[in-house]
Amino acid sequence: MSIVKRAVGRMVHRGWAYLREAATLSPGSTGGYRFRRLGEGACVSFPVGAIFGEAWIEIGDHTLIGERVSISAGMGPGVDLGPDSIVRIGKGCSIGRGSHIVGHQSIDIGDDVFTGPYVYVTDQNHVYDDPETPIGRQWPRNNPVVIGSGSWLGTGAIILPGTRIGRQSVVAGGAVVRGEFPDHSVIAGIPAKVVRRHSAELGWHAPGVVRLSSA
């Protein structure tokens, strides 16, 4: 490689690094003020994904939103969604690049929740009640989502409307999750189910395992 190409390459990389830092959304940046709350030390990495409805989105202190993460509240920009926030992400979280968080009624992500890339979380889905009307034209249905503090969501996991995941739980990569799951669960599969639980007596164990009497 010639000296000129190396010099140009260094300039491009330095310029890109500067651009990424300058364009990151933080509490003090112009874009940061649009959010209901963007906590101290929080940042939304550049390149930024599709973000709208910021006035109904809360992001906690020291939470990192990865590159190309889309976060939305409502069906589209410019809609008044009422007095309450819709998407709430706690403190100390890390949302993996390319993930989508799509809220219409209520999505609560607790503190210290980490995700791999390309995770999808939504509280709305299309219905197919009328077999003659195109599904995309039928009015969708909302159901709140809760993801407990301390949980980990693996790459490509899909969290569907009405899901409640307990604290300190693991969602396996690629799982399609709907329903209610207790604290300290390992959740995997399509459709997802609990494959491991934790208890003080047994530690981590498969569902249905019981402690044998020592008598």
Side-chain angles (χ1 to χ4, degrees), residues 66-111:
E67 298 177 3
R68 298 181 175 85
V69 171
S70 294
I71 309 175
S72 62
M75 299 295 289
V79 179
D80 186 350
L81 303 174
D84 301 322
S85 59
I86 288 176
V87 176
R88 294 167 292 277
I89 303 173
K91 65 183 180 181
C93 297
S94 179
I95 307 300
R97 68 182 182 278
S99 294
H100 289 65
I101 301 172
V102 182
H104 297 86
Q105 180 179 354
S106 177
I107 295 178
D108 266 304
I109 298 176
D111 298 334

Side-chain angles (χ1 to χ4, degrees), residues 107-111 113 115 119 121 145-153 159 163-167 171:
I107 295 178
D108 266 304
I109 298 176
D111 298 334
V113 172
T115 86
V119 168
V121 181
V145 168
V146 177
I147 299 172
S149 294
S151 294
W152 160 256
L153 279 60
I159 312 300
T163 296
R164 299 180 64 89
I165 297 172
R167 295 176 58 257
V171 176

Side-chain angles (χ1 to χ4, degrees), residues 13-136:
H13 285 290
R14 288 174 182 172
W16 179 248
Y18 175 81
L19 180 63
R20 288 180 62 187
E21 182 177 354
T24 292
L25 299 181
S26 64
S29 67
T30 302
Y33 291 116
R34 295 198 298 264
F35 288 88
R36 170 71 62 94
R37 181 171 186 269
L38 186 58
E40 178 184 354
C43 69
V44 181
S45 301
F46 179 84
V48 176
I51 297 181
F52 59 82
E54 293 97 323
W56 292 272
I57 298 172
E58 299 182 34
I59 299 174
D61 297 347
H62 306 290
T63 283
L64 170 64
I65 306 297
E67 298 177 3
R68 298 181 175 85
V69 171
S70 294
I71 309 175
S72 62
M75 299 295 289
V79 179
D80 186 350
L81 303 174
D84 301 322
S85 59
I86 288 176
V87 176
R88 294 167 292 277
I89 303 173
K91 65 183 180 181
C93 297
S94 179
I95 307 300
R97 68 182 182 278
S99 294
H100 289 65
I101 301 172
V102 182
H104 297 86
Q105 180 179 354
S106 177
I107 295 178
D108 266 304
I109 298 176
D111 298 334
D112 301 305
V113 172
F114 284 64
T115 86
Y118 309 113
V119 168
Y120 185 80
V121 181
T122 185
D123 63 357
Q124 185 180 89
N125 211 346
H126 290 284
V127 299
Y128 47 90
D129 298 336
D130 183 347
E132 301 303 324
T133 301
I135 292 170

